[in-house]
Amino acid sequence: MVIFFFLLVHVLDTSLVRVSPEAYNVVIGAYKNPIMGLGELGLVAAIVFHAFNGLRVILIDFWKKGPKYQRQMLWGVVGLWVVTMIGFSIRHLPIVFGGH
């Protein structure tokens, strides 16, 4: 649901640039606050987990040994997700809270 909501808002605010560039700048400026920054972190977390888990599901479906190793692959997904999110958070949170 979060990803769908983001895509909806993204399409709407991006289309605003054709109507009024000034209004677009105001809307984008409103997004630059810590609450939205943390929301972006949550959104990235959901998308990254969804992507890694999707690869796991593909392996389960199309690899003969996939069902046998699905639990180990889940832990692999969780591990990759944690490493990816740590890297992203280190880069993203200083921007959110004022330090570039």
Side-chain angles (χ1 to χ4, degrees):
M1 292 297 292
V2 173
I3 295 169
F4 173 76
F5 180 72
F6 165 76
L7 290 173
L8 176 67
V9 170
H10 178 65
V11 168
L12 292 174
D13 64 19
T14 302
S15 65
L16 187 59
V17 77
R18 306 255 315 162
V19 176
S20 170
E22 296 80 20
Y24 171 80
N25 289 335
V26 169
V27 169
I28 295 302
Y31 293 159
K32 295 180 181 181
N33 65 65
I35 293 171
M36 291 301 286
L38 293 174
E40 289 172 345
L41 183 67
L43 178 67
V44 169
I47 291 170
V48 169
F49 186 83
H50 183 70
F52 288 156
N53 195 52
L55 294 173
R56 180 183 77 94
V57 170
I58 290 169
L59 286 172
I60 291 169
D61 288 345
F62 293 107
W63 180 36
K64 186 182 272 187
K65 295 182 181 181
K68 179 179 178 182
Y69 294 110
Q70 65 90 17
R71 183 166 296 174
Q72 291 89 338
M73 289 189 292
L74 175 61
W75 286 110
V77 164
V78 170
L80 282 171
W81 179 77
V82 167
V83 168
T84 302
M85 289 311 300
I86 288 171
F88 178 75
S89 297
I90 289 170
R91 174 71 177 101
H92 182 67
L93 290 176
I95 294 169
V96 169
F97 293 106
H100 297 283

